[in-house]
Amino acid sequence: IGFAMAIVATVIPSLTLAQSIKLIGTEKSSIIATLGPVFTIVLANYFLKEPFTFRQAIGTLFIITGVWIIGKK
């Protein structure tokens, strides 16, 4: 099970990131990768019924603001 988890959690994301860089470039790929924690919070809330806390809301706001600032340049 450890090997399967390593493949799913490490190898596949690395390959998809490399492919996205090749297809859409580093700038857009880095913006999408920055949103990873936000997607994690949303998916944990949806699938695992994890609570969405005030701290997570503040962190999400910081991430989205950062992506917005980077995207404006």
Side-chain angles (χ1 to χ4, degrees):
I1 188 116
F3 181 72
M5 287 174 56
I7 296 295
V8 171
T10 306
V11 175
I12 293 174
S14 297
L15 292 175
T16 56
L17 179 61
Q19 195 64 18
S20 72
I21 290 171
K22 190 185 297 182
L23 291 174
I24 63 174
T26 56
E27 184 177 330
K28 290 180 182 176
S29 294
S30 66
I31 291 173
I32 293 168
T34 303
L35 292 172
V38 175
F39 291 131
T40 301
I41 291 170
V42 170
L43 292 173
N45 181 268
Y46 182 77
F47 288 110
L48 304 175
K49 307 300 184 227
E50 292 284 330
F52 185 68
T53 65
F54 181 71
R55 281 179 148 172
Q56 291 172 331
I58 297 297
T60 300
L61 184 64
F62 281 140
I63 291 170
I64 291 174
T65 302
V67 169
W68 178 71
I69 290 170
I70 291 170
K72 281 183 71 173
K73 292 184 177 183

